[in-house]
Amino acid sequence: MDGKLLELIERLEREHSLSVDEYEYLIVNKTDEAQALLAEKASAVSRRIYGNEIFLRGIVEFSNICKNDCYYCGIRRSNANLERYRLSPDEIFRCCEEGYELGLRTFVLQSGEDPYYTDDILADLVSKIHGRFPDCAITLSLGERSRESYQRLFDAGANRYLLRHETADKAHYEKLHPAEMSFDNRMHCLQVLREIGYDVGAGFMVGSPYQTTRTLAEDLKFLEDFKPEMCGIGPFIPHKDTPFRDVPAGTLDWTLYFLSIIRLIHPPVLLPATTALGTIDPRGREKGVEAGANVIMPNLSPTEVREQYKLYNDKICTGDESAQCRHCLDLRMSTIGYQIVTDRGDIRKEVI
Ligand code: 5AD
Ligand code: FES
């Protein structure tokens, strides 16, 4: 292997830090050998901290109505080819009950940016879930809201918040989003969430339109600086009803490469093998775990609405019963020597 590449990989493993130029070198000079070495080191780090345990997050996609118009996303407001739905708080609560029975101890409530769900409605729902399942973590993924809103939901019992930064490069951000959305506000929201005390999840798509080796290197430096508790990365997958319908999808190999690098940048990070990764390859999630991921996010949404929450085409697990998903995942993970556990799956910052 190229001596400089090897030196950078070893330094990353030791110091968890490189310069933006060095991250870019790692990206530009990717080889199969480097990928294999990174995966080996990353999965060893993950095993040292989390053993062979894989954490589950049950995700309830409770509304596909969105006021935003991100150019890449299938539920953007301009997509008229989509039947829109909203689940009631009772329906959402029942998804959590079903998830609890299946052994899930983290619920992720995710939706488009749907103004129907006011702070009153959401705070009531969060405190009801928190009251009924005090042993569970509640994760929100509702997009950009005000500080007051984030604070109220935290006070109601939410512990974690997922808000992908999408890209750490402002000019790139502006090519993925219409002018009414702002890179600065996205970064501000991440700061506010952290200040309030949430465990925060950032992340980006691999292979997104206009992404370059430079913007990716900036993403890595951002993750190194911000150290999010969670990091969601998956391949970009084009959706036929978006302006980026003809852009090729991100690849499995590049996604695995970044999973491994991110594990080495921030060893305790909770790193999902995402549904998008499982969508571009039938064994994508297993390969993600072997590259250093330690979280899987099965779908708890009612089966009738799963088809309608498609951020991208060909999304997997839209037809299964939730119980079947659990069984299927148990089996998939045990075949590669990992074990799905019934646990909140908190970050283990102290074990390094
Ligand atoms: N392909 C892959 N991921 C997507 N997301 C949105 N649209 C797509 C797509 N076409 C991701 C974004 C968003 C998260 C919820 O899903 O990164 O933050
Ligand atoms: Fe809904 Fe991007 S389209 S937040």
Side-chain angles (χ1 to χ4, degrees):
M1 189 184 320
D2 161 357
K4 177 162 178 197
L5 194 59
L6 184 59
E7 187 232 303
L8 290 181
I9 292 172
E10 287 177 345
R11 182 140 55 82
L12 183 62
E13 181 187 28
R14 235 179 14 251
E15 298 174 4
H16 319 297
S17 172
L18 296 177
S19 69
V20 177
D21 284 343
E22 289 168 336
Y23 282 126
E24 193 174 8
Y25 189 94
L26 216 56
I27 298 165
V28 171
N29 295 285
K30 170 176 172 292
T31 60
D32 290 351
E33 205 187 345
Q35 184 178 342
L37 181 63
L38 280 164
E40 190 188 306
K41 291 185 183 303
S43 59
V45 167
S46 176
R47 278 191 180 254
R48 202 172 69 234
I49 301 175
Y50 295 104
N52 74 339
E53 298 189 347
I54 300 296
F55 300 138
L56 294 182
R57 293 23 178 136
I59 178 156
V60 185
E61 300 152 335
F62 67 83
S63 163
N64 70 349
I65 297 177
C66 190
K67 69 175 162 63
N68 290 337
D69 217 15
C70 306
Y71 299 140
Y72 47 83
C73 184
I75 66 167
R76 63 201 298 267
R77 68 163 186 262
S78 298
N79 182 6
N81 276 331
L82 179 64
E83 208 181 308
R84 303 282 172 168
Y85 72 90
R86 283 184 178 124
L87 300 185
S88 69
D90 277 351
E91 288 172 310
I92 301 169
F93 186 78
R94 282 198 292 275
C95 294
C96 298
E97 288 182 318
E98 191 182 349
Y100 193 88
E101 290 299 310
L102 293 170
L104 297 171
R105 295 295 179 268
T106 293
F107 306 120
V108 182
L109 308 186
Q110 184 176 75
S111 67
E113 290 197 15
D114 181 353
Y116 171 85
Y117 297 90
T118 57
D119 293 346
D120 283 346
I121 294 178
L122 290 170
D124 268 7
L125 173 63
V126 167
S127 63
K128 187 170 165 198
I129 297 172
H130 182 59
R132 175 73 182 75
F133 306 109
D135 53 336
C136 294
I138 302 174
T139 304
L140 301 176
S141 177
L142 315 170
E144 296 176 15
R145 300 177 77 92
S146 66
R147 178 186 289 268
E148 294 65 41
S149 176
Y150 288 149
Q151 184 70 56
R152 251 193 92 182
L153 299 173
F154 184 81
D155 295 340
N159 324 84
R160 309 185 186 140
Y161 204 103
L162 307 180
L163 184 70
R164 289 189 179 181
H165 67 286
E166 309 297 356
T167 169
D169 184 287
K170 187 171 173 149
H172 183 211
Y173 189 92
E174 290 169 358
K175 292 181 184 164
L176 297 175
H177 304 94
E180 76 237 20
M181 289 179 74
S182 129
F183 173 79
D184 293 338
N185 193 52
R186 171 76 41 149
M187 289 294 171
H188 177 69
C189 285
L190 287 167
Q191 287 298 343
V192 168
L193 288 162
R194 165 142 305 157
E195 282 165 26
I196 291 173
Y198 283 96
D199 281 349
V200 181
F204 61 93
M205 296 177 286
V206 175
S208 69
Y210 305 106
Q211 189 171 61
T212 63
T213 53
R214 193 67 187 175
T215 66
L216 283 161
E218 288 166 350
D219 285 321
L220 296 177
K221 195 65 188 177
F222 167 74
L223 295 174
E224 181 195 311
D225 291 339
F226 188 67
K227 295 195 174 29
E229 282 76 16
M230 293 88 72
C231 183
I233 68 158
F236 163 74
I237 303 175
H239 187 289
K240 64 179 172 40
D241 300 315
T242 66
F244 294 146
R245 62 181 67 82
D246 295 322
V247 177
T251 67
L252 174 76
D253 275 334
W254 275 110
T255 308
L256 298 176
Y257 199 62
F258 285 108
L259 283 171
S260 300
I261 293 173
I262 293 165
R263 169 67 64 205
L264 294 180
I265 289 176
H266 186 27
V269 69
L270 294 159
L271 200 56
T274 55
T275 307
L277 191 58
T279 295
I280 56 162
D281 186 287
R283 291 190 66 252
R285 287 170 299 180
E286 289 90 324
K287 291 173 183 170
V289 166
E290 289 172 329
N294 70 325
V295 170
I296 298 190
M297 303 176 71
N299 199 324
L300 280 184
S301 311
T303 45
E304 313 83 75
V305 302
R306 288 187 194 181
E307 271 300 313
Q308 283 142 253
Y309 200 90
K310 281 197 170 173
L311 309 185
Y312 44 81
N313 288 134
D314 305 319
K315 187 174 169 196
I316 54 167
C317 303
T318 54
D320 296 359
E321 294 293 332
S322 303
Q324 288 172 353
C325 282
R326 170 72 210 246
H327 182 63
C328 161
L329 289 172
D330 283 344
L331 212 64
R332 281 168 179 270
M333 290 304 126
S334 67
T335 57
I336 56 166
Y338 288 81
Q339 179 199 356
I340 287 180
V341 292
T342 293
D343 193 295
R344 274 169 58 110
D346 285 309
I347 188 165
R348 295 189 190 148
K349 286 186 182 166
E350 62 293 344
V351 208
I352 295 286

PDB file of all heavy atoms in Angstrom, residues 20-35:
ATOM      1  N   VAL A  20      -7.971  18.573   6.937  1.00  0.00           N
ATOM      2  CA  VAL A  20      -8.914  18.428   5.810  1.00  0.00           C
ATOM      3  C   VAL A  20      -8.178  17.885   4.581  1.00  0.00           C
ATOM      4  O   VAL A  20      -8.679  16.986   3.884  1.00  0.00           O
ATOM      5  CB  VAL A  20      -9.600  19.777   5.481  1.00  0.00           C
ATOM      6  CG1 VAL A  20     -10.522  19.628   4.278  1.00  0.00           C
ATOM      7  CG2 VAL A  20     -10.398  20.274   6.682  1.00  0.00           C
ATOM      8  N   ASP A  21      -6.969  18.380   4.332  1.00  0.00           N
ATOM      9  CA  ASP A  21      -6.194  17.874   3.187  1.00  0.00           C
ATOM     10  C   ASP A  21      -5.906  16.384   3.328  1.00  0.00           C
ATOM     11  O   ASP A  21      -5.953  15.637   2.353  1.00  0.00           O
ATOM     12  CB  ASP A  21      -4.853  18.624   3.077  1.00  0.00           C
ATOM     13  CG  ASP A  21      -5.027  20.030   2.502  1.00  0.00           C
ATOM     14  OD1 ASP A  21      -6.094  20.298   1.908  1.00  0.00           O
ATOM     15  OD2 ASP A  21      -4.101  20.848   2.661  1.00  0.00           O
ATOM     16  N   GLU A  22      -5.596  15.974   4.556  1.00  0.00           N
ATOM     17  CA  GLU A  22      -5.301  14.548   4.760  1.00  0.00           C
ATOM     18  C   GLU A  22      -6.552  13.684   4.594  1.00  0.00           C
ATOM     19  O   GLU A  22      -6.492  12.593   4.016  1.00  0.00           O
ATOM     20  CB  GLU A  22      -4.673  14.355   6.141  1.00  0.00           C
ATOM     21  CG  GLU A  22      -3.253  14.918   6.197  1.00  0.00           C
ATOM     22  CD  GLU A  22      -2.687  15.025   7.617  1.00  0.00           C
ATOM     23  OE1 GLU A  22      -3.479  15.104   8.595  1.00  0.00           O
ATOM     24  OE2 GLU A  22      -1.445  15.053   7.745  1.00  0.00           O
ATOM     25  N   TYR A  23      -7.681  14.188   5.076  1.00  0.00           N
ATOM     26  CA  TYR A  23      -8.919  13.439   4.830  1.00  0.00           C
ATOM     27  C   TYR A  23      -9.157  13.306   3.333  1.00  0.00           C
ATOM     28  O   TYR A  23      -9.554  12.260   2.831  1.00  0.00           O
ATOM     29  CB  TYR A  23     -10.128  14.124   5.487  1.00  0.00           C
ATOM     30  CG  TYR A  23     -10.230  13.896   6.984  1.00  0.00           C
ATOM     31  CD1 TYR A  23     -10.338  14.966   7.868  1.00  0.00           C
ATOM     32  CD2 TYR A  23     -10.243  12.597   7.511  1.00  0.00           C
ATOM     33  CE1 TYR A  23     -10.446  14.767   9.243  1.00  0.00           C
ATOM     34  CE2 TYR A  23     -10.343  12.383   8.887  1.00  0.00           C
ATOM     35  CZ  TYR A  23     -10.445  13.467   9.740  1.00  0.00           C
ATOM     36  OH  TYR A  23     -10.551  13.257  11.099  1.00  0.00           O
ATOM     37  N   GLU A  24      -8.897  14.400   2.614  1.00  0.00           N
ATOM     38  CA  GLU A  24      -9.117  14.344   1.166  1.00  0.00           C
ATOM     39  C   GLU A  24      -8.157  13.340   0.518  1.00  0.00           C
ATOM     40  O   GLU A  24      -8.550  12.609  -0.396  1.00  0.00           O
ATOM     41  CB  GLU A  24      -8.986  15.742   0.540  1.00  0.00           C
ATOM     42  CG  GLU A  24      -9.528  15.751  -0.883  1.00  0.00           C
ATOM     43  CD  GLU A  24      -9.572  17.138  -1.521  1.00  0.00           C
ATOM     44  OE1 GLU A  24      -9.049  18.098  -0.931  1.00  0.00           O
ATOM     45  OE2 GLU A  24     -10.136  17.239  -2.628  1.00  0.00           O
ATOM     46  N   TYR A  25      -6.952  13.271   1.017  1.00  0.00           N
ATOM     47  CA  TYR A  25      -5.985  12.291   0.486  1.00  0.00           C
ATOM     48  C   TYR A  25      -6.521  10.862   0.659  1.00  0.00           C
ATOM     49  O   TYR A  25      -6.449  10.021  -0.237  1.00  0.00           O
ATOM     50  CB  TYR A  25      -4.633  12.450   1.193  1.00  0.00           C
ATOM     51  CG  TYR A  25      -3.531  11.628   0.567  1.00  0.00           C
ATOM     52  CD1 TYR A  25      -2.676  12.172  -0.388  1.00  0.00           C
ATOM     53  CD2 TYR A  25      -3.362  10.279   0.912  1.00  0.00           C
ATOM     54  CE1 TYR A  25      -1.677  11.405  -0.989  1.00  0.00           C
ATOM     55  CE2 TYR A  25      -2.376   9.503   0.326  1.00  0.00           C
ATOM     56  CZ  TYR A  25      -1.529  10.074  -0.619  1.00  0.00           C
ATOM     57  OH  TYR A  25      -0.549   9.308  -1.216  1.00  0.00           O
ATOM     58  N   LEU A  26      -7.095  10.622   1.830  1.00  0.00           N
ATOM     59  CA  LEU A  26      -7.671   9.308   2.153  1.00  0.00           C
ATOM     60  C   LEU A  26      -8.793   8.952   1.172  1.00  0.00           C
ATOM     61  O   LEU A  26      -8.981   7.794   0.804  1.00  0.00           O
ATOM     62  CB  LEU A  26      -8.246   9.392   3.568  1.00  0.00           C
ATOM     63  CG  LEU A  26      -8.177   8.230   4.522  1.00  0.00           C
ATOM     64  CD1 LEU A  26      -6.756   7.766   4.717  1.00  0.00           C
ATOM     65  CD2 LEU A  26      -8.770   8.655   5.879  1.00  0.00           C
ATOM     66  N   ILE A  27      -9.530   9.978   0.751  1.00  0.00           N
ATOM     67  CA  ILE A  27     -10.670   9.757  -0.142  1.00  0.00           C
ATOM     68  C   ILE A  27     -10.183   9.567  -1.586  1.00  0.00           C
ATOM     69  O   ILE A  27     -10.548   8.606  -2.259  1.00  0.00           O
ATOM     70  CB  ILE A  27     -11.655  10.954  -0.038  1.00  0.00           C
ATOM     71  CG1 ILE A  27     -12.200  11.036   1.391  1.00  0.00           C
ATOM     72  CG2 ILE A  27     -12.788  10.817  -1.044  1.00  0.00           C
ATOM     73  CD1 ILE A  27     -12.888  12.361   1.715  1.00  0.00           C
ATOM     74  N   VAL A  28      -9.322  10.484  -2.020  1.00  0.00           N
ATOM     75  CA  VAL A  28      -8.848  10.447  -3.406  1.00  0.00           C
ATOM     76  C   VAL A  28      -8.081   9.153  -3.695  1.00  0.00           C
ATOM     77  O   VAL A  28      -8.156   8.612  -4.797  1.00  0.00           O
ATOM     78  CB  VAL A  28      -7.950  11.677  -3.693  1.00  0.00           C
ATOM     79  CG1 VAL A  28      -7.267  11.562  -5.043  1.00  0.00           C
ATOM     80  CG2 VAL A  28      -8.758  12.965  -3.619  1.00  0.00           C
ATOM     81  N   ASN A  29      -7.366   8.659  -2.691  1.00  0.00           N
ATOM     82  CA  ASN A  29      -6.498   7.498  -2.917  1.00  0.00           C
ATOM     83  C   ASN A  29      -7.081   6.186  -2.405  1.00  0.00           C
ATOM     84  O   ASN A  29      -6.347   5.240  -2.125  1.00  0.00           O
ATOM     85  CB  ASN A  29      -5.126   7.768  -2.298  1.00  0.00           C
ATOM     86  CG  ASN A  29      -4.420   8.921  -2.992  1.00  0.00           C
ATOM     87  OD1 ASN A  29      -3.931   8.768  -4.100  1.00  0.00           O
ATOM     88  ND2 ASN A  29      -4.427  10.089  -2.363  1.00  0.00           N
ATOM     89  N   LYS A  30      -8.392   6.121  -2.303  1.00  0.00           N
ATOM     90  CA  LYS A  30      -9.059   4.889  -1.816  1.00  0.00           C
ATOM     91  C   LYS A  30      -8.685   3.687  -2.689  1.00  0.00           C
ATOM     92  O   LYS A  30      -8.706   3.755  -3.910  1.00  0.00           O
ATOM     93  CB  LYS A  30     -10.573   5.085  -1.865  1.00  0.00           C
ATOM     94  CG  LYS A  30     -11.398   3.815  -1.613  1.00  0.00           C
ATOM     95  CD  LYS A  30     -12.880   4.180  -1.583  1.00  0.00           C
ATOM     96  CE  LYS A  30     -13.794   2.984  -1.537  1.00  0.00           C
ATOM     97  NZ  LYS A  30     -13.772   2.189  -2.775  1.00  0.00           N
ATOM     98  N   THR A  31      -8.301   2.604  -2.025  1.00  0.00           N
ATOM     99  CA  THR A  31      -8.078   1.332  -2.724  1.00  0.00           C
ATOM    100  C   THR A  31      -8.834   0.245  -1.956  1.00  0.00           C
ATOM    101  O   THR A  31      -9.238   0.461  -0.810  1.00  0.00           O
ATOM    102  CB  THR A  31      -6.587   0.933  -2.713  1.00  0.00           C
ATOM    103  OG1 THR A  31      -6.180   0.805  -1.336  1.00  0.00           O
ATOM    104  CG2 THR A  31      -5.708   1.954  -3.409  1.00  0.00           C
ATOM    105  N   ASP A  32      -8.988  -0.900  -2.575  1.00  0.00           N
ATOM    106  CA  ASP A  32      -9.656  -2.021  -1.884  1.00  0.00           C
ATOM    107  C   ASP A  32      -8.881  -2.406  -0.635  1.00  0.00           C
ATOM    108  O   ASP A  32      -9.461  -2.743   0.403  1.00  0.00           O
ATOM    109  CB  ASP A  32      -9.749  -3.236  -2.810  1.00  0.00           C
ATOM    110  CG  ASP A  32     -10.734  -3.005  -3.942  1.00  0.00           C
ATOM    111  OD1 ASP A  32     -11.457  -1.983  -3.895  1.00  0.00           O
ATOM    112  OD2 ASP A  32     -10.760  -3.830  -4.879  1.00  0.00           O
ATOM    113  N   GLU A  33      -7.572  -2.337  -0.753  1.00  0.00           N
ATOM    114  CA  GLU A  33      -6.713  -2.712   0.375  1.00  0.00           C
ATOM    115  C   GLU A  33      -6.905  -1.744   1.547  1.00  0.00           C
ATOM    116  O   GLU A  33      -7.023  -2.168   2.711  1.00  0.00           O
ATOM    117  CB  GLU A  33      -5.265  -2.669  -0.108  1.00  0.00           C
ATOM    118  CG  GLU A  33      -4.322  -3.550   0.646  1.00  0.00           C
ATOM    119  CD  GLU A  33      -2.857  -3.301   0.203  1.00  0.00           C
ATOM    120  OE1 GLU A  33      -2.647  -2.679  -0.855  1.00  0.00           O
ATOM    121  OE2 GLU A  33      -1.964  -3.717   0.945  1.00  0.00           O
ATOM    122  N   ALA A  34      -6.949  -0.453   1.223  1.00  0.00           N
ATOM    123  CA  ALA A  34      -7.163   0.549   2.281  1.00  0.00           C
ATOM    124  C   ALA A  34      -8.540   0.362   2.908  1.00  0.00           C
ATOM    125  O   ALA A  34      -8.707   0.458   4.134  1.00  0.00           O
ATOM    126  CB  ALA A  34      -7.048   1.957   1.687  1.00  0.00           C
ATOM    127  N   GLN A  35      -9.532   0.073   2.079  1.00  0.00           N
ATOM    128  CA  GLN A  35     -10.888  -0.140   2.586  1.00  0.00           C
ATOM    129  C   GLN A  35     -10.929  -1.337   3.542  1.00  0.00           C
ATOM    130  O   GLN A  35     -11.531  -1.271   4.620  1.00  0.00           O
ATOM    131  CB  GLN A  35     -11.844  -0.367   1.413  1.00  0.00           C
ATOM    132  CG  GLN A  35     -13.282  -0.508   1.883  1.00  0.00           C
ATOM    133  CD  GLN A  35     -14.263  -0.698   0.728  1.00  0.00           C
ATOM    134  OE1 GLN A  35     -13.951  -0.412  -0.424  1.00  0.00           O
ATOM    135  NE2 GLN A  35     -15.444  -1.181   1.051  1.00  0.00           N
TER     136      GLN A  35
END
